[in-house]
Amino acid sequence: MIVIFKNNTPNEAIEELSCAVESMGVQVNKVVGSDATILGLVGDTSNIDMKKIEADDNVERVMRVSEPYKKANRKFHPDSTVVKVGDTSIGGKEIALIAGPCSVESREQITDVAKAIKASGATMLRGGAFKPRTSPYAFQGLKYEGLDLLKEAKAATGLPIVTELMSPYDLDRFVQDVDVIQIGARNMQNFELLKQLGKIDKPILLKRGLSATIEEWLMSAEYILSGGNGNVILCERGVRTFETYTRNTLDLSAIVAVKQVSHLPVIVDPSHATGKAWMVPALARAAIAVGADGLIIEVHNDPIHALCDGNQSIKPEQFDAVVKDLRNIAPVVGRSIR
Ligand code: PEP
Ligand code: MN
């Protein structure tokens, strides 16, 4: 349930109603928006008399929220959330451009790619240190050494780092070393991991699960938000369908839907969505055109010899060309590129 106050309602009146509702065993989430102040009530609201609250002179409107996601719901939080990462952010006017290799492979590789993408306009560096591989015999990542190399690349370029966390055991290390913690598609419904992420305030990049519905994806975000961490960024990376030509099917309509029903920023990963490097530029352009807040793109300096996902990795010069195209597209949809 949400309670929307009239403009200029005194703070005391809002606090008074808030305490009254809280004493009925309901959690109250106060959001001061650009248009109005809203109380979002989470929990069992069946005993709350809507008419009684509506009778309050300061109250503009009371609404029941039928969707199971509450804190991720735009009704609870009408203004779009902007997640700050260092001196950059995701969800504001500026498009976030995250790029880098699937996996960190060596000092030269990660630092060279970081310098190249930075020169093109990337705002953050990606690179997997811990890799979720289908085969236990495939390269599993450089692990802690990979984190150290990411830190070196950050020191050389100033780019914040985005990397995937797979186990709650490594959480403290990630909180220390990483700017954005990526939760991969395979862990989207690892609820114990999500609960741990709710206890920190580090930005979380939550990828959509392999076959997750939009509602399931938002409910996973709700786990993090309900724990107290409001810094959640969603990432559409394609879903599994009957189609086998592409690695996954990029669900562009999910961007439009999520921007409508949620206030959380949403970015697109055209690399894992297609599995084909030559398709990445076109879908990157499409993602920005439909309203995505940013992109996460796999870029490798030697894709043929990449230890992971070489087929879908573009070269730094191709990334540069994508960013040039986006500089033309972004203003058309009211956005900008750094
Ligand atoms: C990745 O970003 O390297 C990755 C493994 O992505 P996903 O979880 O979307 O498959
Ligand atoms: Mn990958």
Side-chain angles (χ1 to χ4, degrees), residues 69-110:
Y69 46 92
K70 309 293 180 189
K71 294 195 166 177
N73 203 312
R74 200 178 268 282
K75 290 174 189 157
F76 266 57
H77 192 293
D79 295 338
S80 293
T81 286
V82 180
V83 176
K84 292 225 167 333
V85 183
D87 69 350
T88 177
S89 61
I90 308 185
K93 186 170 187 226
E94 194 177 282
I95 297 292
L97 291 175
I98 307 169
C102 179
S103 315
V104 181
E105 297 171 9
S106 70
R107 175 175 293 119
E108 294 68 38
Q109 176 238 22
I110 192 68

Side-chain angles (χ1 to χ4, degrees), residues 102 126 131 247 272 298 308-309 312:
C102 179
R126 66 149 287 151
K131 294 304 303 176
R247 182 175 178 177
H272 291 87
E298 286 187 342
C308 184
D309 287 349
Q312 66 194 37

